[in-house]
Amino acid sequence: MISYISIVGAELGTEKGNHLIEGMLAAIPAKKHYTGKMLGICFLISFQLVLYAVFGLVGFLLLRHSTFVKSLHLNDYLAKIDPQYLWISLILALLSLFLYISLAAYLVSLVSRAEDIGQATSGVTSILLIPYFISFLTQSNPNLLVVKILSYLPFMSQDIMPVRMAQGAASYSAGYVSGGHFPPERRLDVPLRSTHLRQQHLHLPLGDTPQILN
């Protein structure tokens, strides 16, 4: 995360003090230029994440029969992890990555000199370290009131909520809510509830459908 924040600062900071950007903004609106810049950075980060996943998967498949990997007991370790837990952790990680990159881009865009970019990105890095250190406290006190509140807040949930779920202090439904998603079972239950309420309002027996009257 810190490296990606530095990438955002470096990419946006190259234009600080550059007189060529003035001529470019005369032909291209500043909003479109900023959007294109951020899309390019997001595509670069996405490409790197895909490469990490591919290299990790290929390395695991090639080395899983080696004596060193067998000594680590990775298969037994991964078999004990619920795929739903991994999915929620991935959602929280991607959401926090997007939030921190957006915050870093916003702060860097306010800087007028390239020398001040390090100060802007260091502020974002300081915020990033807060949930990291709180996650150690969460391991021993997962039901602490402050920890519960922070596990649902953006910029904080990516490190705290996975620890609470691993400790059994938070359910998977809480993890989905923390990541800005409704749990799958609730998502499927909403249309059924609304249909039932409409049928009660129309005084129809369950299973009947209202007829359209001309």
Side-chain angles (χ1 to χ4, degrees):
M1 193 83 75
I2 295 175
S3 64
Y4 291 143
I5 292 174
S6 301
I7 290 174
V8 172
E11 289 295 328
L12 295 179
T14 54
E15 300 174 352
K16 302 297 180 180
N18 190 353
H19 297 289
L20 294 177
I21 192 65
E22 298 177 1
M24 186 181 296
L25 292 178
I28 302 175
K31 184 178 180 180
K32 290 185 177 181
H33 175 74
Y34 181 79
T35 303
K37 196 79 172 180
M38 290 303 300
L39 284 176
I41 294 173
C42 290
F43 287 145
L44 173 63
I45 294 175
S46 301
F47 179 71
Q48 290 183 359
L49 292 177
V50 171
L51 282 182
Y52 295 154
V54 171
F55 288 155
L57 181 60
V58 171
F60 177 75
L61 293 177
L62 294 177
L63 301 176
R64 62 178 177 176
H65 298 296
S66 64
T67 56
F68 174 73
V69 175
K70 288 182 179 179
S71 64
L72 297 177
H73 304 286
L74 290 179
N75 291 327
D76 298 336
Y77 178 76
L78 295 176
K80 296 177 182 179
I81 300 178
D82 193 345
Q84 195 171 4
Y85 174 84
L86 294 177
W87 175 246
I88 296 174
S89 300
L90 179 62
I91 291 176
L92 292 174
L94 294 178
L95 177 63
S96 63
L97 178 62
F98 174 77
L99 291 176
Y100 278 104
I101 287 176
S102 301
L103 179 61
Y106 176 75
L107 294 178
V108 171
S109 63
L110 297 177
V111 174
S112 58
R113 297 186 306 170
E115 293 80 8
D116 298 332
I117 294 176
Q119 297 179 1
T121 55
S122 63
V124 182
T125 306
S126 300
I127 299 174
L128 175 63
L129 294 177
I130 294 175
Y132 173 73
F133 288 114
I134 295 178
S135 64
F136 294 103
L137 175 64
T138 309
Q139 295 178 10
S140 57
N141 297 289
N143 291 318
L144 199 63
L145 180 59
V146 177
V147 171
K148 286 183 179 180
I149 296 174
L150 292 178
S151 63
Y152 290 96
L153 294 181
F155 298 99
M156 299 288 169
S157 59
Q158 74 277 358
D159 288 325
I160 301 175
M161 181 56 76
V163 177
R164 293 192 66 223
M165 291 190 300
Q167 295 288 339
S171 62
Y172 289 154
S173 300
Y176 280 111
V177 174
S178 178
H181 293 73
F182 286 105
E185 60 271 12
R186 291 186 182 179
R187 213 178 304 164
L188 294 175
D189 191 38
V190 169
L192 297 178
R193 267 189 217 162
S194 59
T195 303
H196 184 69
L197 291 175
R198 286 198 302 268
Q199 289 169 339
Q200 285 183 345
H201 180 71
L202 295 172
H203 304 289
L204 294 173
L206 193 63
D208 292 350
T209 54
Q211 301 293 330
I212 300 176
L213 301 178
N214 295 325

